[in-house]
Amino acid sequence: QVQLEESGGGLVQAGDSLRLSCSATEHPFSPYTMAWFRQAPGKEREFVSAIKYDGRTVYYARPVKGRFTISSANTKNTVVYLQMNILNVEDTAIYYCAATLSQPLADERKELTYDYWGRGTQVTVSS
């Protein structure tokens, strides 16, 4: 049973930084492709960033490109980070970690691509 656990959320002021972490259960078929999605109050969940199973290819949504950085702690992508800089109030959301073992990778921006999800961590940015 694959489990994902996010950590690192919190309350910060606009302009501050946060680093989210996601830990995934070890799996014999890893590496994973890992992604971050977020859901703001009253809005649909949206793609934020992903790191492919090769550990090198990364993807970002336009609103976070240049401010957020996704990285992996190991070659299996079982621990992934999302460094979030220059946070603004529009970044306030619940941030979810997602993972898939499927190769090749389908559309990294689609929720249906991912088989496993964490419970989320709240990020609140005050003005």
Side-chain angles (χ1 to χ4, degrees):
Q1 180 75 12
V2 175
Q3 293 186 330
L4 304 180
E5 184 172 1
E6 304 97 336
S7 62
L11 171 63
V12 296
Q13 292 188 326
D16 286 351
S17 299
L18 270 180
R19 189 177 79 160
L20 305 182
S21 300
C22 177
S23 295
T25 310
E26 288 273 351
H27 193 284
F29 295 152
S30 57
Y32 295 97
T33 290
M34 300 283 277
W36 290 95
F37 287 75
R38 67 185 182 186
Q39 187 167 22
K43 295 187 177 181
E44 293 187 352
R45 190 155 58 184
E46 63 176 4
F47 171 79
V48 175
S49 183
I51 183 165
K52 196 174 176 180
Y53 49 79
D54 62 7
R56 299 187 305 273
T57 306
V58 295
Y59 310 90
Y60 297 99
R62 186 172 295 182
V64 308
K65 197 169 186 179
R67 299 188 297 123
F68 290 12
T69 304
I70 192 169
S71 62
S72 178
N74 55 52
T75 57
K76 294 188 175 182
N77 287 353
T78 55
V79 178
V80 172
Y81 305 108
L82 185 68
Q83 177 67 43
M84 306 186 295
N85 298 329
I86 319 176
L87 286 161
N88 56 59
V89 293
E90 289 75 28
D91 295 317
T92 294
I94 299 174
Y95 283 71
Y96 297 91
C97 181
T100 181
L101 291 164
S102 297
Q103 297 186 20
L105 181 64
D107 189 337
E108 71 281 353
R109 298 170 189 268
K110 300 294 186 184
E111 293 186 44
L112 288 176
T113 295
Y114 301 93
D115 305 300
Y116 311 104
W117 290 82
R119 294 183 177 182
T121 185
Q122 176 71 48
V123 172
T124 304
V125 184
S126 64
S127 59

